[in-house]
Amino acid sequence: MLNVENILKTTDASMKMEGMDLCAGDLSRIKDCLEGKKDFSNAIAELVKSYSSPVRVYA
């Protein structure tokens, strides 16, 4: 099994190939999940919430 640093490097390289650079916060979040400090599902939910904007309804 790959260690955490190898997984981070591989993930970062894969994202760069797709034109999406990971910031330090992204790598830190992934590392926390890999080390069991944070649950992947919770991390994803937090990201979705942070990028979602409320929908305004005009009557």
Side-chain angles (χ1 to χ4, degrees), residues 2 5-6 8-9 11-12 20-22 24-25 29-31 33 35 38 40 42 45 48-50 52-53 59:
L2 296 173
E5 291 304 318
N6 284 339
L8 289 172
K9 288 178 185 177
T11 302
D12 192 36
M20 296 180 275
D21 291 333
L22 297 176
R29 196 170 12 262
I30 294 167
K31 183 177 181 180
C33 290
E35 293 176 341
K38 189 176 242 185
F40 277 101
N42 291 340
V48 169
K49 185 178 178 181
S50 71
S52 298
S53 59

Side-chain angles (χ1 to χ4, degrees), residues 2-6 10 12-13 15-17 22 27-28 30 35 43 45 51 56 59:
L2 296 173
N3 67 28
V4 172
E5 291 304 318
N6 284 339
T10 302
D12 192 36
M15 296 299 285
K16 283 182 192 238
M17 284 191 284
L22 297 176
L27 293 170
S28 176
I30 294 167
E35 293 176 341
Y51 284 98
R56 291 186 178 195

